[in-house]
Amino acid sequence: MTFDIQMTAKKASAAKHQIASLSNAKRKNLLTLIGNNLIAATPAILEANRLDIDHAKSSGLSAAMLDRLLLDESAIKNIADAVFQIAAQPDFLGAISHMQPQPSGIQVGKMRIPLGVIAMIYESRPNVTIDAAVLCLKSGNAVILRGGKEAQHSNQALAQVLKTSLNSLQLSEDIVTVIPIADREVMATMLTLSESIDLVIPRGGEGLINYVTANSRIPVIQHFKGVCHLYVDKAAQLDKALAILENGKTQRTGVCNALETLLVHESIAAAFLPLAAKMFESKSVVVHACAKSLTYFKDATPATDSDWHAEYLALEIAVRIVNDAEHAFEHIREYASGHTEVIVTEDFSLAQRFMREIDSSVVMVNASSRFSDGGELGLGAEIGISTSKLHAYGPMGAESLTTEKFVVIGDGSVRE
Amino acid sequence: MTFDIQMTAKKASAAKHQIASLSNAKRKNLLTLIGNNLIAATPAILEANRLDIDHAKSSGLSAAMLDRLLLDESAIKNIADAVFQIAAQPDFLGAISHMQPQPSGIQVGKMRIPLGVIAMIYESRPNVTIDAAVLCLKSGNAVILRGGKEAQHSNQALAQVLKTSLNSLQLSEDIVTVIPIADREVMATMLTLSESIDLVIPRGGEGLINYVTANSRIPVIQHFKGVCHLYVDKAAQLDKALAILENGKTQRTGVCNALETLLVHESIAAAFLPLAAKMFESKSVVVHACAKSLTYFKDATPATDSDWHAEYLALEIAVRIVNDAEHAFEHIREYASGHTEVIVTEDFSLAQRFMREIDSSVVMVNASSRFSDGGELGLGAEIGISTSKLHAYGPMGAESLTTEKFVVIGDGSVRE
């Protein structure tokens, strides 16, 4: 099977103005229709998913991956509910901000517009197919989706729902494409099509993201590691610190907003670390401790430089006693991945400094790193997380898939 | 001569938090000091500039390039005045927008922060050295400047002013580097340093921009051509249309916001094109006309597809009669470069549609394309123009060199 990605991208680019210039009301109709059509197509989607699951089992896919791949009636209902939620969110396209008269007499404002055509590369998770497509449509973009090969049949069934919905509103099918094959060459070619595609969002392992960054002529949203820090200051309330530590490290471990490193102010270490050690023991958290803190933990191993860099994604944590807040700032500047950092303190001025000076995408005072998520931050659904600063930084909602252009109003105005 | 760009970039990255966390008041002091020190250093700068001019003359540089290279006392005063103006502009770093309580009880806002380290690659224009450095400092960024080789001595004298100013406020010299050699290899290496450098802004010919885009591992602000369109609608007032046409095409021709293509509605062509032809003749504008409009002009040549793509940067224009507004929209969608497009019309609803549906970075109603410039649009000084939609779109002021991070405030808050 071959697939003409050049033609697909060209068609998407030719169709993008249809979705971009749709009124917000019609766009809402489209999304609602997609939700309804999804539920109506449940039998067909489950049949396609059954094929994927059978293939996956016979090729020995891990239980965790099977779990992500599997759909049932309630999973489809959940996907549709997410679509209805996105449809109900406030619109932002066409919003004009800052309309200001200038000394020359012209008026200048900025209008929010879609980016154009967005390419998503992601794992074998069928729910992402709909989520990503709907977030792109909400923000007025055309979209090209390239999911993992294990989900191919499911994805094509979902693509059919998207195309049917576009069709019945007289919109071009080219606005959404789900690439039918997970071919490396097709992806490599896609990454060169900067004339038609405006943005690439890769989701998956570091290898994929490095590959896309190295080979793309199109701008890429990068999401590398989440090495999240908690700094417990000398002015911390210990109960708050302990709750935030437990929640951040143990509520869910395989996620990028889990805590990986605990920094504790020297003068509070003797009071706080025994509490932390007890909690770690009860939750079976493996500790990698600096020389100064080693004695607080029963079975801790000495932390090395690689522990400060580690994204464990497991019940494991690195612990370091720091001399003072300045030392904690230095550690975070050196080792943070740009994701989320937390301070626990009652020192108002220090909290202000932390929020101002730590330049990760999410900085928190007295709150758990687990809140670092599009939904919890009030963005609605999340299309990805950016840990590089260009265009978007941190969790990205639909509005991150837009930009602003200048609009100028004159009355026959010319420049002197 | 060799130059260690890796070390330079690392040092800039290590020093960036100094300029990022400076208070707005101190940052203003720094900029004012740079302006004063520039004026005080006038004799040294002129001496260095004399060396560049002597070299340039003996190597046969064009008069236009010599003109851009040459400094005199009043040119230095103008550069300093621009610095004082940037210093006086409102500050935006640390501004928090949208602080909102969330259902979980946490408060979430967004804070404006610098990008980090910015690399500028530009022509042999000494004034850009100061302009770019000061815009980066205003926005809290460290900066690495790589100017054209013809301006090397002037640039080093200007670099000395910047370093002296940083020094006298106890700030690291590493915050600003002017690379002392214009070596292609140094630039090629620089473009791979994505761990230390956050953004590259190339200014110059299409060749340079293509080279940088193809070779950079760092995000790039792209400024390709300015193929600006004027559409004179059937509901246009002819005097406004004529004034905007003359201003756009003839006020300055070598600039990216000059008009390159005139589209005229069929039903107004017989009334408008004779006026346009007369103006073109009086200003010696060469016309490339479509088959339908050819007869309106004395010495016009027939327009080909390459004329619709052309950025003449000269007293030359392409003219096309379109069937209706839809036809004009189609032409612009096909040939526009993402820079600036103008409609002249009194039709309110059509003007609204034009503003909404044309997705160039600047869309104008009844105003000259020549207003498409950072100063005229109210941005203050301009660091560049982006014709791609990621991160920034259109003329970029200092604020375009920033991003927003999330700030979260809790009270021991954890996720359920």
Side-chain angles (χ1 to χ4, degrees):
Chain A
M1 184 176 187
T2 59
F3 181 77
D4 189 344
I5 182 68
Q6 271 110 330
M7 184 54 70
T8 298
K10 256 190 201 158
K11 283 182 174 175
S13 183
K16 70 183 174 192
H17 76 92
Q18 275 191 29
I19 184 74
S21 57
L22 212 60
S23 73
N24 287 337
K26 283 189 185 150
R27 186 173 299 105
K28 191 172 178 175
N29 288 349
L30 171 64
L31 299 193
T32 308
L33 189 59
I34 290 172
N36 290 331
N37 286 346
L38 261 177
I39 290 172
T42 299
I45 297 167
L46 291 182
E47 204 184 305
N49 188 246
R50 170 57 44 203
L51 283 176
D52 285 332
I53 292 286
D54 288 350
H55 277 139
K57 279 184 178 160
S58 67
S59 61
L61 209 67
S62 73
M65 287 185 76
L66 275 174
D67 187 52
R68 289 172 163 200
L69 184 56
L70 182 70
L71 294 175
D72 58 18
E73 207 164 312
S74 89
I76 294 173
K77 201 183 157 300
N78 286 342
I79 297 173
D81 282 345
V83 174
F84 295 132
Q85 266 180 38
I86 295 170
Q89 277 170 28
D91 282 302
F92 40 76
L93 287 179
I96 295 181
S97 58
H98 310 297
M99 201 78 186
Q100 281 269 87
Q102 298 297 320
S104 63
I106 60 173
Q107 289 187 70
V108 178
K110 298 198 87 174
M111 184 191 282
R112 192 156 290 284
I113 57 170
L115 291 175
V117 179
I118 293 170
M120 277 280 300
I121 302 169
Y122 56 104
E123 326 85 315
S124 295
R125 299 176 64 173
N127 62 314
V128 175
T129 304
I130 294 295
D131 233 44
V134 165
L135 283 167
C136 289
L137 296 173
K138 173 78 175 182
S139 48
N141 294 286
V143 61
I144 299 172
L145 298 158
R146 193 273 198 189
K149 68 172 185 299
E150 295 82 2
Q152 274 179 62
H153 295 96
S154 314
N155 284 344
Q156 288 307 314
L158 296 167
Q160 199 45 55
V161 170
L162 294 165
K163 288 188 183 296
T164 305
S165 308
L166 287 164
N167 264 334
S168 61
L169 295 181
Q170 278 80 51
L171 292 163
S172 165
E173 287 192 357
D174 300 331
I175 291 169
V176 177
T177 300
V178 180
I179 299 178
I181 51 171
D183 187 288
R184 269 254 158 172
E185 237 174 84
V186 169
M187 178 164 79
T189 305
M190 182 170 84
L191 296 177
T192 66
L193 304 176
S194 57
E195 300 236 323
S196 313
I197 304 176
D198 298 278
L199 179 67
V200 178
I201 306 180
R203 280 171 50 158
E206 217 177 330
L208 172 72
I209 294 167
N210 279 326
Y211 172 82
V212 171
T213 306
N215 291 284
S216 182
R217 295 287 300 262
I218 308 165
V220 179
I221 294 290
Q222 293 168 16
H223 174 197
F224 289 110
K225 302 190 294 182
V227 181
C228 304
H229 294 78
L230 167 63
Y231 167 53
V232 179
D233 181 49
K234 71 171 175 196
Q237 286 192 5
L238 297 189
D239 55 335
K240 293 182 188 172
L242 193 65
I244 287 169
L245 175 62
E246 178 173 350
N247 191 248
K249 183 67 259 182
T250 72
Q251 195 204 19
R252 267 184 84 185
T253 53
V255 289
C256 58
N257 62 14
L259 284 179
E260 306 294 3
T261 298
L262 168 66
L263 304 172
V264 181
H265 191 290
E266 191 167 40
S267 68
I268 208 173
F272 183 67
L273 285 180
L275 305 176
K278 204 172 145 195
M279 184 273 287
F280 287 154
E281 211 183 319
S282 76
K283 298 274 184 171
S284 309
V285 177
V286 173
V287 176
H288 306 269
C290 70
K292 282 185 184 173
S293 61
L294 209 45
T295 54
Y296 289 98
F297 306 98
K298 230 182 241 165
D299 300 308
T301 56
T304 64
D305 195 60
S306 78
D307 286 301
W308 310 137
H309 284 289
E311 186 186 30
Y312 298 114
L313 298 174
L315 284 171
E316 256 182 283
I317 195 163
V319 178
R320 183 176 196 177
I321 293 178
V322 292
N323 308 332
D324 51 22
E326 203 47 63
H327 191 195
F329 279 50
E330 275 166 29
H331 180 103
I332 292 172
R333 271 186 205 122
E334 175 81 21
Y335 297 103
S337 59
H339 198 295
T340 300
E341 326 302 338
V342 180
I343 188 173
V344 178
T345 190
E346 299 302 319
D347 178 336
F348 183 83
S349 299
L350 179 63
Q352 292 292 326
R353 261 195 66 207
F354 188 87
M355 283 197 284
R356 173 86 194 257
E357 295 186 17
I358 296 298
D359 76 343
S360 291
S361 63
V362 185
V363 287
M364 299 184 167
V365 179
N366 298 341
S368 168
S369 61
R370 292 279 297 120
F371 286 115
S372 192
D373 161 289
E376 296 291 334
L377 297 177
L379 302 181
E382 185 179 292
I383 186 100
I385 299 179
S386 170
T387 59
S388 67
K389 290 181 188 156
L390 264 283
H391 186 70
Y393 196 34
M396 296 167 62
E399 198 168 337
S400 301
L401 303 179
T402 64
T403 188
E404 285 185 316
K405 69 182 172 192
F406 290 89
V407 290
V408 176
I409 295 175
D411 187 28
S413 317
V414 298
R415 187 159 166 191
E416 298 299 322
Chain B
M1 186 177 187
T2 60
F3 180 77
D4 189 343
I5 182 68
Q6 271 110 329
M7 183 54 70
T8 297
K10 257 190 200 156
K11 283 184 175 175
S13 183
K16 71 183 173 193
H17 76 92
Q18 275 191 31
I19 184 74
S21 58
L22 212 60
S23 72
N24 287 338
K26 282 189 185 151
R27 186 173 299 105
K28 191 170 177 177
N29 288 347
L30 171 63
L31 299 194
T32 308
L33 190 59
I34 290 171
N36 290 332
N37 286 347
L38 261 177
I39 291 173
T42 300
I45 297 167
L46 291 182
E47 205 183 304
N49 188 246
R50 170 57 42 202
L51 283 176
D52 285 333
I53 292 287
D54 288 349
H55 277 137
K57 280 185 176 161
S58 66
S59 60
L61 210 67
S62 74
M65 287 187 74
L66 275 174
D67 186 51
R68 289 172 161 199
L69 184 56
L70 184 68
L71 294 175
D72 59 18
E73 206 163 316
S74 89
I76 294 173
K77 199 183 160 302
N78 286 343
I79 298 173
D81 281 345
V83 174
F84 295 133
Q85 266 178 39
I86 295 170
Q89 276 171 26
D91 283 302
F92 39 77
L93 286 179
I96 296 181
S97 58
H98 310 299
M99 201 79 186
Q100 281 270 89
Q102 298 297 320
S104 63
I106 60 173
Q107 289 187 69
V108 178
K110 297 198 90 174
M111 184 192 280
R112 192 155 289 285
I113 57 170
L115 291 175
V117 178
I118 293 169
M120 278 281 299
I121 302 169
Y122 56 104
E123 327 85 314
S124 295
R125 298 176 63 174
N127 63 313
V128 175
T129 304
I130 294 295
D131 235 43
V134 165
L135 284 167
C136 289
L137 296 173
K138 174 80 175 181
S139 48
N141 293 286
V143 61
I144 299 172
L145 298 158
R146 194 273 199 189
K149 68 173 186 297
E150 295 83 2
Q152 274 180 61
H153 295 96
S154 314
N155 284 345
Q156 287 308 313
L158 296 168
Q160 199 46 55
V161 170
L162 295 165
K163 287 187 183 296
T164 306
S165 308
L166 287 164
N167 264 333
S168 61
L169 294 182
Q170 278 78 52
L171 292 164
S172 166
E173 287 192 356
D174 299 332
I175 291 168
V176 177
T177 299
V178 181
I179 298 179
I181 51 172
D183 187 288
R184 269 254 157 171
E185 237 173 85
V186 170
M187 178 164 77
T189 305
M190 182 170 83
L191 296 177
T192 66
L193 305 175
S194 57
E195 301 236 322
S196 313
I197 304 176
D198 297 277
L199 179 67
V200 178
I201 306 179
R203 281 173 48 160
E206 219 178 330
L208 172 73
I209 294 166
N210 279 327
Y211 172 82
V212 171
T213 307
N215 291 284
S216 183
R217 296 287 301 263
I218 307 165
V220 178
I221 294 290
Q222 292 168 16
H223 174 197
F224 290 110
K225 301 191 295 184
V227 181
C228 304
H229 293 78
L230 167 63
Y231 168 54
V232 179
D233 180 51
K234 71 172 174 195
Q237 286 193 7
L238 298 189
D239 55 336
K240 293 182 188 172
L242 193 65
I244 287 168
L245 175 62
E246 177 173 349
N247 192 248
K249 184 67 258 182
T250 72
Q251 195 204 19
R252 267 183 85 186
T253 52
V255 289
C256 57
N257 62 14
L259 284 178
E260 305 293 4
T261 299
L262 168 66
L263 304 172
V264 181
H265 191 291
E266 191 167 41
S267 68
I268 207 173
F272 183 66
L273 284 180
L275 304 176
K278 204 170 144 196
M279 185 273 286
F280 287 154
E281 211 183 317
S282 76
K283 297 273 182 171
S284 309
V285 177
V286 173
V287 176
H288 306 270
C290 71
K292 282 187 185 173
S293 61
L294 210 45
T295 54
Y296 288 99
F297 306 99
K298 231 181 241 166
D299 300 309
T301 56
T304 65
D305 195 62
S306 76
D307 286 301
W308 310 136
H309 284 289
E311 185 185 30
Y312 298 115
L313 297 174
L315 285 172
E316 257 182 281
I317 196 163
V319 177
R320 183 175 195 177
I321 294 178
V322 292
N323 308 332
D324 52 20
E326 205 47 63
H327 192 194
F329 279 50
E330 276 164 29
H331 180 103
I332 292 172
R333 271 187 204 121
E334 175 80 21
Y335 297 104
S337 59
H339 198 295
T340 299
E341 326 302 338
V342 180
I343 188 173
V344 177
T345 190
E346 298 303 319
D347 179 335
F348 184 83
S349 299
L350 179 63
Q352 292 292 326
R353 261 195 66 207
F354 188 87
M355 282 197 284
R356 174 87 193 259
E357 295 186 16
I358 296 299
D359 76 342
S360 292
S361 62
V362 186
V363 288
M364 299 185 168
V365 179
N366 299 342
S368 168
S369 61
R370 292 278 297 123
F371 286 115
S372 193
D373 161 288
E376 295 292 333
L377 296 177
L379 302 181
E382 184 179 292
I383 187 99
I385 299 179
S386 170
T387 58
S388 68
K389 288 180 188 157
L390 264 284
H391 186 71
Y393 197 34
M396 297 167 63
E399 200 169 335
S400 301
L401 303 179
T402 64
T403 187
E404 285 185 316
K405 69 182 173 192
F406 289 89
V407 289
V408 175
I409 295 175
D411 187 26
S413 317
V414 299
R415 188 159 165 191
E416 298 301 320

